[in-house]
């Protein structure tokens, strides 16, 4: 079975996480590998439904992370 696009997140989550990272002092982020969802949670985001491709479904955590 393939990946259902309705379970995916929009690219906006990556853009928002990137903006959060570049807004922080460099010494807080340098040399780290971070997941977009973790970065946004640290920034206070609790509603990830807005990143869903299908507003009727909850977006999945990154497909490559177990």
């Amino acid at each position: 079975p393939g990946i259902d696009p309705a379970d995916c997140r929009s690219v906006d989550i990556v853009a928002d996480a990137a903006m959060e990272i570049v807004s922080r002092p460099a010494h807080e982020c340098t040399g780290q590998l971070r997941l977009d969802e973790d970065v946004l949670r640290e920034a206070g985001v609790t509603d990830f439904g807005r990143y869903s491709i299908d507003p009727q479904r909850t977006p999945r955590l990154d497909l490559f992370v177990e």
Side-chain angles (χ1 to χ4, degrees):
I3 298 168
D4 185 346
D7 288 336
C8 296
R9 304 174 304 172
S10 72
V11 297
D12 294 340
I13 194 168
V14 176
D16 289 352
M19 285 301 299
E20 178 61 33
I21 288 170
V22 299
S23 298
R24 295 178 180 180
H27 72 273
E28 291 182 10
C29 302
T30 300
Q32 296 183 18
L33 175 64
R34 306 296 308 274
L35 297 177
D36 47 18
E37 190 168 318
D38 292 343
V39 169
L40 293 173
R41 282 189 195 284
E42 289 172 7
V45 175
T46 57
D47 178 16
F48 289 88
R50 69 183 193 190
Y51 297 114
S52 182
I53 296 291
D54 180 345
Q56 302 300 316
R57 297 171 80 162
T58 302
R60 291 176 55 181
L61 181 60
D62 191 303
L63 298 172
F64 301 105
V65 178
E66 292 184 30

